[in-house]
Amino acid sequence: MKKLYILAIAIAVTTFSCKKNKEDEPAPSGSEQAKVVENYANIVYATYDDALITAKNLRAKAADFVASPSEAGLEEVRAAYIASRTPYIQSEAFRFYSGPIDQDLGGGLTIESSINSWPLEEVYIDYVVGDANAGIINDVAHFPTIDKNVILENNQKEGAGENSVSSGYHAVEFLLWGQDLSETGPGDRKYTDYLVNSDDATNLNQARRGQYLLACIDLIIDNLQTLKEAWKSGNASNYRAGFIADPKGSIGNFLKGVIGYADDELSVERMQVALDTEGDAERQEQEQSCFSDQTYNDIILGQKGIKNVYVGEYVRIDGTIVSGMSVSDLVKAADPKLDSTVRAKIYDTDIKVAAIHAPFDNEILTANTAGTIRVQNAINALHVEAAQYKNAANKIGYLY
């Protein structure tokens, strides 16, 4: 894995820009725009709230596991990690318009880069095959203490290289699964990597590995709490208050974000780049969730987040539904046929991404002709979907 989200953000922001309305296109009323923006904000809040709830559950499972490591305990933490990714991945459609998730933390970093950066150079965090003393965990001399500050201060630290990722979901993923050295399965880290003062313990610094795991999850929770508060209703001074106050501008912004995510980040950075890279080993290095082999789910959930924005609906982890007036409603009022076309392309993309087989790293092997066709079909469908989003935006007064 060799690319960073930050580059994609820059590309998306510069590629799409709102322009003034076309005079011959019907424009939705101010009250309709306000309802759409209110519903969008409710969906964003609910999605981050679910991400926070599931991250706290992950923290609880990890704490139990670190206190008493076992094979069953490791599987429970892995399951909690996968569950925590379900709402978070859907939230990625809320990026690329300088919202809270893309808030600048200084040093070229954002909240997003602290939560979800990849690619991740495994050797920066822990041991790898051929180097038992690698990583912050095993460098006791330079990092005598492991806590949130140490992890945060060393995340993509200047001079350490762009892959020097120390924090976020993928760091946790690596600590749970270990290196992925298989074409047909995920990493195979043993629970004994966390056993302390035991003859069965494997590798070095087991206690520090547990400290790193818990501190890393704590940082994710801190950032998700910040995002939730930014979108919470009833606060006159948070991001949501300003977002709601400018319905026309806010619709343009979030449409720009979701188009950029579909047309570049998800389809190109996470799929096309992997498919076009020379050499099977190099292709596998371009897989986002390579340690757990969950890239297939990442793609499906990314597409789900794109659809959520257009139809104005989000199904929470407890089954309740957040919904209201949507972009689809605005487009349908202006041009019912176009709304039907956009929805048809969304559902076509649903089918194409679901057709990809897991694991993704096997699907993109050069010898897997059927797999590479399935991945390319999904990529093409995402581009078509993004083009329809642009048509829909144009219809309601936003030109891209």
Side-chain angles (χ1 to χ4, degrees), residues 113-126:
S113 64
S114 178
I115 291 180
N116 200 41
S117 272
W118 69 288
L120 181 155
E121 194 68 65
E122 301 97 319
V123 73
Y124 192 64
I125 294 177
D126 199 2

Side-chain angles (χ1 to χ4, degrees), residues 176-389:
L176 295 178
W177 276 272
Q179 284 182 286
D180 180 14
L181 304 173
S182 169
E183 294 178 357
T184 57
D188 189 29
R189 185 186 291 276
K190 307 299 184 186
Y191 79 92
T192 48
D193 277 5
Y194 290 88
L195 280 175
V196 179
N197 298 323
S198 170
D199 291 339
D200 295 327
T202 49
N203 296 296
L204 305 171
N205 295 299
Q206 300 87 359
R208 287 167 59 85
R209 187 167 295 108
Q211 293 163 8
Y212 197 115
L213 175 65
L214 297 180
C216 207
I217 299 172
D218 285 339
L219 279 172
I220 292 173
I221 290 173
D222 291 348
N223 281 309
L224 291 174
Q225 186 69 49
T226 297
L227 294 171
K228 176 184 171 181
E229 292 302 318
W231 287 98
K232 188 175 184 179
S233 63
N235 183 340
S237 61
N238 67 359
Y239 178 85
R240 176 178 176 138
F243 188 84
I244 296 293
D246 179 20
K248 181 176 174 58
S250 295
I251 291 174
N253 281 336
F254 76 66
L255 285 174
K256 176 179 68 177
V258 74
I259 291 170
Y261 179 65
D263 210 23
D264 182 74
E265 180 62 37
L266 182 57
S267 58
V268 177
E269 297 295 336
R270 304 189 189 183
M271 300 170 71
Q272 193 72 65
V273 169
L275 203 57
D276 290 348
T277 298
E278 292 291 333
D280 286 340
E282 290 76 12
R283 286 188 176 194
Q284 290 176 310
E285 287 298 307
Q286 300 291 342
E287 182 187 16
Q288 186 190 12
S289 290
C290 63
F291 309 119
S292 62
D293 269 351
Q294 290 295 309
T295 304
Y296 165 77
N297 283 332
D298 291 351
I299 295 169
I300 290 176
L301 292 168
Q303 162 60 13
K304 187 173 179 61
I306 294 168
K307 180 167 68 176
N308 292 347
V309 172
Y310 187 75
V311 303
E313 181 177 297
Y314 169 66
V315 180
R316 299 202 59 166
I317 56 173
D318 65 0
T320 59
I321 297 174
V322 180
S323 65
M325 183 166 276
S326 65
V327 173
S328 173
D329 291 324
L330 299 182
V331 175
K332 186 175 182 180
D335 186 340
K337 185 176 179 180
L338 175 59
D339 178 61
S340 295
T341 300
V342 177
R343 283 176 173 264
K345 296 306 179 185
I346 289 174
Y347 297 137
D348 181 63
T349 306
D350 287 347
I351 293 170
K352 298 290 175 51
V353 298
I356 296 173
H357 294 182
F360 183 78
D361 55 350
N362 183 65
E363 199 76 337
I364 58 175
L365 294 177
T366 51
N368 189 349
T369 303
T372 56
I373 290 174
R374 286 190 288 268
V375 173
Q376 188 63 59
N377 286 343
I379 293 169
N380 295 343
L382 281 163
H383 288 311
V384 171
E385 181 181 18
Q388 289 303 323
Y389 259 86

